[in-house]
Every structure is written in C-alpha cells, then in structure tokens.
C-alpha cells in the first residue's frame, strides 16, 4: 500500500485515473493496458505481482485481485500474491529475486492498494512505471512493476494503519473485481492480437 499524496504527473498516455462508478471503467482500463502491452518486448513473460495482506481490510486489495486472477488458471501470465500466499513487506524482496531468477526479461505488472485524497477514493489508476509499496506507512521497500495498477481505498495523510483497518470491504472487493476482470480481458486481447500479427509475418 502506498499513499498518493498528490496527483500523479500526467504525461501523454502514462496515467489513467478513473472512478469505479464510471460506466466506461472497464473499456477505459482495458484500452490503457493494451497501450502499455504494445510496448512489451517479444519473448517477455508477463508477471503479475499483487501486493498486500488479508490482515488489513484496506491492504487486502492486492491479494483479492491475485485470488481472482488465479481462478482463471491462465498460461498468459505468472501470478505472485493471493490471499493464501500473499506478497507483503516481509517477503517482497525475496519474491522479486525469485522473479528475476525464473523469468527471462519479465514484464512486471504491480498491483496494490493506495490511500489518497477524499475526492479520489474509489478510483483505479493505471500508471506507467513502478509502484512504491509501503510508502504510505513509511516503509522502505523496493519498487515493483514496469506498469502498475492501484485502487484508492481510503483517505491518506493521517493514522494510515488505523485508516486501512477501517476501510470498507465492499469498496475493496469492488475495486479488486474491476482490476482482475479488466486485466485478464486486456491480456487475452493482447495475446490474440500478438498471435495474429505473428501469423502474418
């Protein structure tokens, strides 16, 4: 979990921020993910790292997304971080080391919860570059991801641990469902397009 204390710098096609209540949220996230996937090097393996813990409602977003993605049993990506086997502050460095050892030129997608301004709560962000897990609770952890997705689950700026413990599960579940479904749909579309393009070469 990290704290988005101010808006992420908006560079061309580098960041999407959209409310979970927006009727176009699925198509918007998929479209943005496909843009990023178009930059994946041929032969790279997709690795999804879902960060968080089920010991805190607000911080359970990542493991919930991971658990939802695991149900697809998909060969399109390798998954780290579920409710049963979470990736968190204690084992994050070890997990990243394992990814470097087992995957050739991995394209890593980081997923985490985020605290932000009250007007942003309930929004999902798709951002180019790595996320900084633990920043919201003053932990120094390694950056994760070529791109990352975050769900803003509550208001940041004070008593972050207390805020995370008192985050509504219904919102966290909703955000996790949107992220998992949109990410899987985008990966399927990207894979289909990549195979079609390769067949034409």
């Amino acid at each position: 979990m990290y704290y988005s204390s101010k808006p992420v710098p908006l560079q061309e096609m580098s960041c999407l921020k959209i409310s979970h209540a927006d009727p176009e949220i699925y198509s918007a996230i998929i479209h943005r993910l496909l843009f990023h996937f178009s930059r994946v090097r041929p032969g790279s393996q997709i690795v999804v790292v879902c960060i968080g813990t089920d010991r805190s409602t607000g911080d359970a977003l990542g493991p919930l997304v991971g658990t939802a993605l695991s149900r697809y049993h998909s060969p399109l990506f390798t998954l780290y971080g579920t409710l049963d086997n979470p990736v968190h502050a204690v084992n994050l460095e070890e997990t990243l080391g394992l990814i470097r050892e087992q995957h050739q030129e991995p394209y890593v997608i980081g997923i985490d919860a985020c605290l932000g301004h009250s007007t942003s709560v309930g929004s999902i962000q798709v951002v180019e570059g790595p996320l900084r897990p633990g920043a919201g609770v003053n932990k120094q952890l390694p950056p994760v991801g070529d791109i990352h997705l975050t769900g803003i689950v509550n208001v940041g700026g004070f008593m972050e641990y207390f805020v995370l413990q008192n985050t509504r599960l219904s919102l966290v579940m909703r955000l996790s469902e949107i992220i998992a479904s949109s990410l899987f749909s985008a990966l399927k579309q990207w894979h289909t397009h990549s195979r079609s393009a390769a067949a034409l070469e």
Side-chain angles (χ1 to χ4, degrees):
M1 189 281 304
Y2 78 98
Y3 173 43
S4 179
S5 59
K6 55 186 177 181
V8 176
L10 288 175
Q11 298 168 346
E12 192 70 23
M13 291 299 287
S14 65
C15 176
L16 168 72
K17 181 178 178 182
I18 184 169
S19 169
H20 76 286
D22 192 309
E24 301 297 321
I25 188 166
Y26 286 97
S27 59
I29 293 175
I30 291 169
H31 178 75
R32 186 57 56 94
L33 287 171
L34 289 173
F35 167 77
H36 289 302
F37 294 164
S38 69
R39 299 178 172 184
V40 176
R41 296 182 299 273
S44 292
Q45 296 175 300
I46 302 295
V47 175
V48 182
V49 182
C50 300
I51 301 168
T53 173
D54 62 351
R55 295 178 182 272
S56 168
T57 306
D59 209 18
L61 176 72
L64 284 167
V65 173
T67 298
L69 288 172
S70 71
R71 298 191 183 108
Y72 293 114
H73 302 287
S74 175
L76 300 179
F77 58 90
T78 302
L79 176 67
Y80 295 85
T82 63
L83 289 170
D84 289 333
N85 297 289
V87 174
H88 43 60
V90 176
N91 64 2
L92 178 59
E93 290 195 43
E94 178 185 351
T95 300
L96 295 177
L98 188 64
I99 290 170
R100 287 190 293 268
E101 290 176 7
Q102 297 192 356
H103 302 279
Q104 183 176 6
E105 295 189 16
Y107 184 86
V108 179
I109 303 168
I111 297 173
D112 199 1
C114 177
L115 298 177
H117 294 293
S118 58
T119 55
S120 298
V121 174
S123 295
I124 292 172
Q125 299 178 128
V126 183
V127 186
E128 188 173 23
L131 60 83
R132 307 282 174 175
V137 288
N138 298 315
K139 291 183 179 178
Q140 297 296 321
L141 297 171
V144 179
D146 293 278
I147 63 169
H148 65 272
L149 293 89
T150 56
I152 302 177
V153 298
N154 214 327
V155 178
F158 62 99
M159 300 179 67
E160 277 81 5
Y161 282 109
F162 180 80
V163 168
L164 284 171
Q165 294 285 355
N166 288 275
T167 295
R168 293 195 63 196
L169 180 60
S170 61
L171 175 61
V172 178
M173 291 291 295
R174 175 65 176 152
L175 296 178
S176 70
E177 291 164 1
I178 293 171
I179 292 172
S181 177
S182 300
L183 177 55
F184 184 62
S185 295
L187 286 168
K188 284 196 301 182
Q189 290 185 37
W190 171 72
H191 181 69
T192 300
H193 175 77
S194 298
R195 285 196 304 175
S196 299
L200 295 174
E201 291 179 355

